[in-house]
Amino acid sequence: MSRARQRFLGLTNYHPRTDAQAQLPSALHLTPEVQRQLLAYFYSPGAIRSGPLFGRRQNGIRVITAAGRGVPPGLIPEGSSELFALDAGYVLGWSDALTEGQSEIDWIGHWLIAANNAVGTYEEHLDWLHQAQSAVVLDDETFLLTLGNEEEQLVFAGWAVHARRPTTLPVTRLRGTGS
């Protein structure tokens, strides 16, 4: 059962993931398609952009195959400061469309692009991690992926929290069509 159905519909998963599947991510792999999606969000206007990441678990590695918005762009209130806003119907729709017939695909993380497209300082990342945990988009199995521009170079940063400690995760940008 998808994470979105559990969260927004309150359904219980009678077949929970195994310990191997539920382990903390050790690395993030971005497929070419999700890289294109994230770049489109990066170059689109908007003060705050964030949303769920979908993909599959391969032991400790998370292979990210799709990125969605947390709220449809037209429904984000002007001047909203909630970084991790989620519209239940919108995220359920994304999840259902992406997981249909592919049981290994699920909502496995969350992405964030700051208002000024900057990478963000270490302290800002700590604040974002705290806000992500408060919004229940970050837990022991999921991660936060940030995107930013640093010295005219696009930087992806992966973060997880384990035992209340922030941990950086290596991010690999996969090439080609095979992933």
Side-chain angles (χ1 to χ4, degrees):
M1 174 180 310
S2 77
R3 180 172 173 230
R5 287 177 176 253
Q6 289 175 321
R7 170 154 180 189
F8 297 117
L9 300 178
L11 300 176
T12 304
N13 188 358
Y14 293 109
H15 304 286
R17 286 183 286 283
T18 64
D19 288 342
Q21 292 171 318
Q23 66 183 307
L24 184 72
S26 60
L28 309 176
H29 291 182
L30 307 178
T31 62
E33 179 59 29
V34 82
Q35 291 174 59
R36 283 188 292 277
Q37 289 172 326
L38 289 170
L39 283 174
Y41 293 134
F42 185 79
Y43 291 114
S44 68
I48 298 169
R49 293 159 320 251
S50 73
L53 290 165
F54 299 89
R56 62 186 179 276
R57 295 168 177 84
Q58 292 181 340
N59 299 317
I61 296 172
R62 301 299 188 266
V63 179
I64 307 162
T65 57
R69 293 289 298 251
V71 177
L75 297 181
I76 299 172
E78 189 71 32
S80 174
S81 62
E82 188 174 341
L83 295 178
F84 301 103
L86 294 171
D87 179 84
Y90 194 67
V91 175
L92 277 166
W94 263 106
S95 180
D96 286 352
L98 294 169
T99 61
E100 184 68 33
Q102 296 187 44
S103 62
E104 76 277 0
I105 301 295
D106 199 6
W107 174 14
I108 58 172
H110 209 85
W111 61 271
L112 171 72
I113 300 170
N116 57 3
N117 284 358
V119 170
T121 64
Y122 180 76
E123 289 77 18
E124 287 173 315
H125 276 88
L126 292 180
D127 182 51
W128 295 335
L129 290 169
H130 176 73
Q131 289 184 54
Q133 286 180 304
S134 295
V136 196
V137 297
L138 180 66
D139 58 31
D140 291 339
E141 293 181 43
T142 58
F143 59 88
L144 177 64
L145 177 72
T146 61
L147 220 77
N149 196 0
E150 183 174 65
E151 298 179 13
E152 298 188 31
Q153 185 155 5
L154 185 63
V155 176
F156 291 88
W159 293 83
V161 176
H162 181 65
R164 296 185 176 188
R165 293 198 137 136
T167 305
T168 58
L169 303 172
V171 178
T172 303
R173 297 168 67 177
L174 301 176
R175 297 177 188 256
T177 56
S179 52

